[in-house]
Amino acid sequence: MLNERREIQVACPAFLGNERKYVEECLETTWISSIGRFIGAFEHEFARLCRVRYAIACNTGTSAVHLALLGMKVGIGDQVIVPSLTFIATANAVRYCGAEPIFVDSEPRTMNLDPELIERAITPQTRGIVAVHLYGHPVDMDPIREIAARHSLFIIEDAAEAHGARYKGRFVGALSEVAAFSFFGNKILSTGEGGMVTTDDPDVAERVRLLRGQGMDPSRRYWFPEVGYNYRMTNIEAALGLAQVEKADEHFGARRRVSQWYYRHLGSCQELMQLPIEEKWAHHAFWMYTIVLRPWLNRDSVMRGLAAKGIQTRPVFYPLHTLPPYRQAGQTLSCAESIAARGVSLPTHALLSEDDVIYVSENLAKICEKSKRVASQAASR
Ligand SMILES: *Cc1c(COP(=O)(O)O)cnc(C)c1O
């Protein structure tokens, strides 16, 4: 398989059901904006999927995180604990509220927020914790819940990367006061752009719904008790979303299948890389199959080697405490920094075949072996 050439995207949405039919219905009925039958239907089905009482659709995952924070009444002067190793939207949403994100390091096994480090980041200004289920592996919620209870903090799940993941049998999105999902084109379920807030709390649901639609009083048109946002989802996006949720088990199953293929075909490479870990209490959603190369391998040259073979990959996110908007002199979070420098997300989506995974795995092994030889020659010189 090494001699052939394939083009393999790192991510790709899959349309496995009624997408075309439902979008066509939007065009035929002219309901293309943020009123229409698909919005309510998508919210209803998504709530059922997560086993929560309320799901509120919105225009992006970023606004879902923002709305979740506003639902918890986060405001100016507040501090919110977030992992440094996450997509920047998690922290940006905290900033949109006028609050300050406080970055905490990750633990090396799941790459998620390290519960042991949370407590020392708490100050009198701390209001809550954002638990990000990174790359689809659920956060170990019990110890975090204990800390939150002890200090009267809220927990928000950022489940943008983890549709269908489970913690001790329970679906993410239902493990905290309020949660946020994304339906961006590369996520596990996709509506192009889109997001969802889930909660069991009727007051939070009502507040999120209000703020999503400019803050207008639902019983008094053009009366706005406070400043809201236009974070609405369109009926077309919801049409895609409903079709995707109807096939959720197939979407979730496809990612599990792809990841099992990677485990099989990279199983003999563990001297070169750490494969993703799935804790006993976790059901990993495998948004991305993310490996961490051994420190003596050059991650960027491995990625370039793969790109030359037509294989798209993504580096792990830069830790947020190292990025210009959030940089603070002297802050080091060594686990996040180490994973970020060595992590690579391999192509993971529902349209990959086992042959595609073999092609990626064989090329990756070969490139790493070569990089290892170069490194050991340099060391012996
Ligand atoms: C993708 C993502 C978001 C933001 O979602 P958008 O739909 O792109 O706005 C937020 N948090 C995390 C962890 C993400 O991966």
Side-chain angles (χ1 to χ4, degrees):
M1 202 158 278
L2 285 168
N3 295 326
E4 66 173 314
R5 158 110 195 168
R6 293 182 179 224
E7 290 294 332
I8 300 185
Q9 283 173 244
V10 70
C12 185
F15 308 122
L16 310 174
N18 286 322
E19 282 86 351
R20 210 170 290 272
K21 181 173 149 210
Y22 290 167
V23 168
E24 206 140 289
E25 184 183 318
C26 296
L27 300 176
E28 267 158 26
T29 60
T30 75
W31 292 107
I32 59 167
S33 197
S34 51
I35 301 173
R37 84 171 183 99
F38 291 116
I39 296 158
F42 179 34
E43 291 178 335
H44 183 261
E45 289 307 309
F46 198 81
R48 243 174 47 144
L49 181 78
C50 299
R51 277 72 164 170
V52 292
R53 287 175 71 190
Y54 307 99
I56 301 102
C58 59
N59 60 341
T60 66
T62 307
S63 22
V65 182
H66 188 194
L67 288 169
L69 290 159
L70 294 169
M72 293 291 109
K73 304 204 166 86
V74 172
I76 293 165
D78 291 340
Q79 293 182 346
V80 178
I81 290 172
V82 301
S84 180
L85 201 61
T86 176
F87 183 58
I88 193 164
T90 315
N92 284 350
V94 173
R95 273 279 172 87
Y96 300 162
C97 299
E100 187 189 354
I102 303 296
F103 298 110
V104 166
D105 207 354
S106 305
E107 47 89 12
R109 288 176 58 83
T110 66
M111 312 187 203
N112 282 328
L113 193 63
D114 187 341
E116 310 234 320
L117 302 175
I118 291 176
E119 212 141 22
R120 68 183 81 150
I122 295 172
T123 73
Q125 283 74 50
T126 311
R127 294 280 324 284
I129 302 162
V130 184
V132 183
H133 307 300
L134 200 69
Y135 296 118
H137 194 293
V139 170
D140 190 4
M141 296 298 285
D142 284 346
I144 295 181
R145 248 198 299 258
E146 214 169 277
I147 295 164
R150 198 156 53 233
H151 296 269
S152 307
L153 306 178
F154 64 74
I155 305 176
I156 293 175
E157 289 166 82
D158 182 342
E161 305 179 355
H163 317 58
R166 276 169 269 158
Y167 174 68
K168 300 185 177 174
R170 293 178 57 202
F171 280 87
V172 304
L175 304 172
S176 60
E177 282 84 339
V178 55
F181 289 85
S182 164
F183 305 111
F184 181 62
N186 66 3
K187 299 288 161 80
I188 297 172
L189 301 176
S190 177
T191 62
E193 295 276 7
M196 189 78 81
V197 177
T198 58
T199 182
D200 280 321
D201 184 331
D203 297 331
V204 172
E206 189 187 319
R207 183 166 165 74
V208 166
R209 227 173 256 289
L210 188 86
L211 292 172
R212 171 183 68 172
Q214 304 283 19
M216 188 168 76
D217 185 332
S219 56
R220 197 171 169 195
R221 186 168 292 270
Y222 303 134
W223 184 258
F224 302 92
E226 63 181 306
V227 175
Y229 302 84
N230 177 357
Y231 278 173
R232 294 182 301 264
M233 174 177 271
T234 67
N235 199 42
I236 299 178
E237 289 162 337
L240 289 170
L242 179 63
Q244 297 260 301
V245 196
E246 287 172 349
K247 296 282 181 188
D249 287 342
E250 285 177 44
H251 288 279
F252 299 162
R255 290 187 183 261
R256 296 286 299 184
R257 198 165 64 234
V258 167
S259 66
Q260 295 313 313
W261 290 332
Y262 275 123
Y263 280 122
R264 186 182 310 158
H265 298 293
L266 291 173
S268 59
C269 300
Q270 296 188 56
E271 190 211 339
L272 301 165
M273 64 194 72
Q274 180 189 306
L275 303 182
I277 286 165
E278 185 177 38
E279 298 288 10
K280 282 192 297 296
W281 39 261
H283 180 89
H284 197 323
F286 289 104
W287 173 50
M288 286 283 152
Y289 192 89
T290 302
I291 57 163
V292 181
L293 298 174
R294 299 302 170 198
W296 31 267
L297 289 172
N298 182 326
R299 190 267 309 268
D300 294 342
S301 86
V302 170
M303 287 180 62
R304 277 195 301 275
L306 288 166
K309 292 290 181 181
I311 301 164
Q312 236 183 35
T313 56
R314 288 285 180 274
V316 160
F317 306 120
Y318 286 102
L320 301 184
H321 73 279
T322 66
L323 292 176
Y326 298 113
R327 206 155 42 200
Q328 268 177 35
Q331 190 174 24
T332 6
L333 300 172
S334 52
C335 181
E337 288 167 32
S338 165
I339 292 170
R342 300 184 289 123
V344 186
S345 292
L346 302 178
T348 318
H349 57 80
L351 303 179
L352 292 170
S353 67
E354 185 167 13
D355 278 351
D356 292 331
V357 170
I358 293 173
Y359 178 77
V360 174
S361 304
E362 286 184 351
N363 277 294
L364 175 62
K366 191 177 150 200
I367 291 162
C368 288
E369 287 293 351
K370 193 173 147 203
S371 174
K372 182 180 150 190
R373 278 197 305 276
V374 172
S376 65
Q377 277 160 11
S380 64
R381 231 180 268 132

